[in-house]
Amino acid sequence: MLPAPFPANHSPIIRKLESIFPLTDDERQALLELPIQVTAIKEDQDVVREGDRPSRSFAILSGMTCTSKVMGDGKRQIVAFGVPGDMPDIQSLHLKVLDISVTTLTPCSLGFITHEALWDLCLRSPRIAAAFWRETLVEGAAFREWILNVGRREAYPRMAHILCELLVRLHAVGLAEDHSCDLPITQVEFADALGITAVHVNRVFQQMRADGLIETRGTRLIVPDWERLKEVGDFDETYLHLLTTGGAAA
Amino acid sequence: MLPAPFPANHSPIIRKLESIFPLTDDERQALLELPIQVTAIKEDQDVVREGDRPSRSFAILSGMTCTSKVMGDGKRQIVAFGVPGDMPDIQSLHLKVLDISVTTLTPCSLGFITHEALWDLCLRSPRIAAAFWRETLVEGAAFREWILNVGRREAYPRMAHILCELLVRLHAVGLAEDHSCDLPITQVEFADALGITAVHVNRVFQQMRADGLIETRGTRLIVPDWERLKEVGDFDETYLHLLTTGGAAA
DNA sequence: ATACAGGATTAACATGGGTCAAAGACAGGC
DNA sequence: GCCTGTCTTTGACCCATGTTAATCCTGTAT
């Protein structure tokens, strides 16, 4: 029962931008004046679908999403998870037809902003445009790491790595503490994210529990030994390019 | 013996930007005035390395590169190939420490541009900044497809898919005709790109040859039946977001 | 309480692709 | 023509992960 409907506000967007790019007061103000339409949406709903041609993008104000692509034969690959502050389909501002679908993992509060308003803001404020560009570059770095994860790590370290990423990113937006967080992600979804089967996800989880690498209580994940999980997952958070480095999930 | 040292010029950069974003005369002129340092470099050289903090970025004027990451244990994953017009480390403009290495596959002519000059141009011309941003978004789409390829396709269609992508992208820059192109990529490199072993790359190639799906003469790739290769590779070029769609490698 | 549905777990068996190691093929340099 | 280094090819064997399909949970609705 994570996110109660959220008071309408832009703060997750601004916090996210500021977490990777310093803003002036004027710029913050310009962002606050963006016309934004806040919408609540249930879990397990597609917000946008592959092939859509949206006229607006959205930011996650609360809740979590996943971004996925499907193959001809129906197999699905999740390529990213979204946390508050993320704008999973910002690409649609420039690329007319979407190559991905975005699905809610939990009930979400989403803030929709028209492409027109975004374009206008970017033309008026080159530094804000640069901040968005920078966000896209950071997202690209995460995709590259995801490729490495899926392409070169075995299932066990692969899972460890993705758990590390999730924990650090959730921590960065205040949704994880004490190496623990709520992960509303089913084993089937982990399977689609890691490029393995749900059965094998289950095997890996059990081994990790047996090894004392993780504990689970319902959807809650607890990491008893963060350093060891990072080591198993070959995890180095540099690629996330957070300004608040250091004790990320510490 | 691909690329002879190239007369210094910006045209690959401009052509690339224009292939995904229409430019005005003024904007083209501003790009032409960018101070650019042209350098020839041999094959199999690292242009930049993971961990570097470059003060300039570069465009490929001729030749091909690959972009890769390595794991702690030395395993390498190639996450992208670069063709003329690409700027494989444009991210360093915003992200101080590089998360990838860029290596030449052939002798290359590279055009280096300082971050200062790029920043200056982007602040003066929001539309050019937007064009660069758009390039980054397209690059992101290619990463997402790469994740799907490595995560969900078996080795045979996975190879077919990457061959399709290479052929279409080389065709878009005039380096492929008649479903045929020069591919200066070793089997070890394909292995690192696909997340399989070189031995298995070899098995797949032989099967593809036996199936009449591809022919090779030295480094030259010939595709006798383009439609069939696309089908085997589950390839749909939409994700490349080229303006010149349709008969891409036709 | 009972029934249901989505998720988690198990087990038995199959296989794509990994590993290792040796041998061939080819190109460039002398 | 010969040497050397880099690619490619081959073969035997093995294991991480896929497949299938049944069973077991747990929370929620009736």
Side-chain angles (χ1 to χ4, degrees):
Chain A
M1 313 321 70
L2 268 194
F6 210 78
N9 83 54
H10 306 57
S11 65
I13 305 172
I14 294 178
R15 182 178 48 191
K16 178 72 186 306
L17 278 179
E18 288 200 299
S19 84
I20 55 172
F21 196 98
L23 298 172
T24 67
D25 286 341
D26 281 355
E27 286 156 1
R28 231 186 323 271
Q29 189 56 37
L31 282 165
L32 284 170
E33 281 162 10
L34 264 185
I36 184 171
Q37 186 199 329
V38 178
T39 305
I41 181 170
K42 282 190 299 195
E43 67 191 290
D44 270 321
Q45 306 288 307
D46 285 348
V47 184
V48 291
R49 294 210 180 104
E50 218 170 324
D52 282 359
R53 298 163 166 270
S55 61
R56 52 186 198 169
S57 293
F58 67 91
I60 304 170
L61 301 181
S62 73
M64 281 184 70
T65 66
C66 69
T67 301
S68 62
K69 297 177 68 107
V70 290
M71 296 204 312
D73 66 359
K75 281 184 193 150
R76 179 171 82 146
Q77 176 70 44
I78 292 176
V79 301
F81 290 110
V83 303
D86 288 344
M87 300 185 69
D89 74 340
I90 185 72
Q91 48 156 308
S92 62
L93 180 59
H94 277 96
L95 310 180
K96 286 315 134 205
V97 35
L98 271 187
D99 61 296
I100 45 96
S101 301
V102 180
T103 309
T104 56
L105 295 172
T106 66
C108 283
S109 171
L110 305 178
F112 287 89
I113 309 172
T114 64
H115 289 163
E116 202 182 340
L118 282 170
W119 259 113
D120 182 59
L121 177 63
C122 287
L123 291 180
R124 273 188 295 118
S125 171
R127 290 190 74 252
I128 289 181
F132 280 122
W133 180 12
R134 191 189 142 112
E135 256 194 34
T136 299
L137 287 163
V138 171
E139 182 188 55
F143 288 142
R144 291 189 287 269
E145 185 72 23
W146 202 291
I147 294 172
L148 173 62
N149 201 32
V150 170
R152 284 298 181 205
R153 291 195 186 98
E154 306 217 316
Y156 191 96
R158 196 184 299 182
M159 175 67 82
H161 190 279
I162 211 170
L163 292 178
C164 288
E165 173 174 327
L166 284 166
L167 206 46
V168 168
R169 289 179 56 211
L170 287 171
H171 186 269
V173 295
L175 292 176
E177 283 177 11
D178 303 326
H179 307 302
S180 166
C181 64
D182 207 41
L183 273 192
I185 301 173
T186 67
Q187 295 189 356
V188 172
E189 284 154 354
F190 272 118
D192 286 344
L194 298 175
I196 61 182
T197 59
V199 171
H200 203 57
V201 167
N202 190 273
R203 292 195 272 245
V204 168
F205 266 139
Q206 286 184 55
Q207 189 59 50
M208 290 183 129
R209 288 196 204 101
D211 294 345
L213 206 57
I214 62 169
E215 292 166 29
T216 52
R217 291 212 229 315
T219 60
R220 186 130 204 111
L221 170 75
I222 299 152
V223 179
D225 186 343
W226 173 240
E227 290 304 323
R228 192 148 70 90
L229 186 66
K230 282 206 296 187
E231 191 181 323
V232 170
D234 185 35
F235 182 77
D236 173 350
E237 75 183 66
T238 309
Y239 74 93
L240 292 173
H241 295 282
L242 298 168
L243 289 187
T244 57
T245 46
Chain B
M1 310 305 61
L2 268 192
F6 209 78
N9 83 55
H10 305 57
S11 65
I13 306 171
I14 293 176
R15 181 178 50 191
K16 178 72 184 305
L17 279 180
E18 288 199 301
S19 85
I20 54 172
F21 196 98
L23 298 173
T24 67
D25 285 343
D26 281 356
E27 286 157 1
R28 231 186 322 271
Q29 189 56 37
L31 283 165
L32 284 170
E33 282 162 10
L34 265 183
I36 185 171
Q37 187 197 329
V38 178
T39 306
I41 181 170
K42 281 189 300 193
E43 66 191 289
D44 269 321
Q45 306 287 306
D46 285 347
V47 184
V48 291
R49 295 211 178 102
E50 218 170 323
D52 281 359
R53 297 163 166 271
S55 61
R56 52 185 198 169
S57 293
F58 67 92
I60 305 170
L61 302 180
S62 73
M64 281 185 68
T65 66
C66 67
T67 301
S68 61
K69 298 178 66 108
V70 291
M71 297 203 314
D73 66 359
K75 280 185 194 148
R76 179 171 83 146
Q77 176 70 44
I78 292 176
V79 300
F81 289 110
V83 303
D86 289 343
M87 301 185 68
D89 75 339
I90 185 71
Q91 48 156 308
S92 63
L93 180 58
H94 277 97
L95 309 179
K96 285 316 134 207
V97 35
L98 270 187
D99 61 296
I100 46 95
S101 302
V102 179
T103 310
T104 56
L105 295 172
T106 65
C108 284
S109 170
L110 306 178
F112 288 89
I113 309 172
T114 64
H115 289 163
E116 203 184 339
L118 282 169
W119 258 114
D120 181 58
L121 176 63
C122 288
L123 291 179
R124 274 188 293 117
S125 170
R127 292 189 74 253
I128 289 181
F132 280 123
W133 181 11
R134 190 188 144 113
E135 256 194 34
T136 299
L137 287 163
V138 171
E139 182 188 55
F143 288 142
R144 290 190 287 270
E145 185 72 24
W146 202 291
I147 294 173
L148 173 63
N149 201 32
V150 170
R152 284 299 181 206
R153 291 195 187 98
E154 305 214 318
Y156 191 94
R158 196 184 299 181
M159 176 67 82
H161 189 279
I162 212 170
L163 292 179
C164 288
E165 172 172 328
L166 284 165
L167 206 47
V168 168
R169 290 179 56 210
L170 286 171
H171 185 270
V173 295
L175 292 176
E177 282 176 13
D178 303 325
H179 307 301
S180 166
C181 64
D182 207 41
L183 274 192
I185 301 172
T186 68
Q187 295 189 356
V188 173
E189 284 154 353
F190 272 117
D192 287 343
L194 298 175
I196 60 182
T197 58
V199 170
H200 202 58
V201 167
N202 190 272
R203 294 195 271 242
V204 168
F205 266 140
Q206 287 183 56
Q207 189 59 52
M208 290 183 129
R209 287 196 205 101
D211 294 343
L213 207 56
I214 61 169
E215 291 166 28
T216 52
R217 291 212 230 310
T219 61
R220 186 129 203 112
L221 170 75
I222 299 153
V223 179
D225 186 344
W226 173 239
E227 290 304 323
R228 193 148 70 90
L229 186 67
K230 281 206 296 187
E231 192 181 322
V232 169
D234 185 35
F235 181 78
D236 172 351
E237 74 183 67
T238 309
Y239 74 93
L240 293 173
H241 295 282
L242 298 168
L243 291 187
T244 57
T245 45

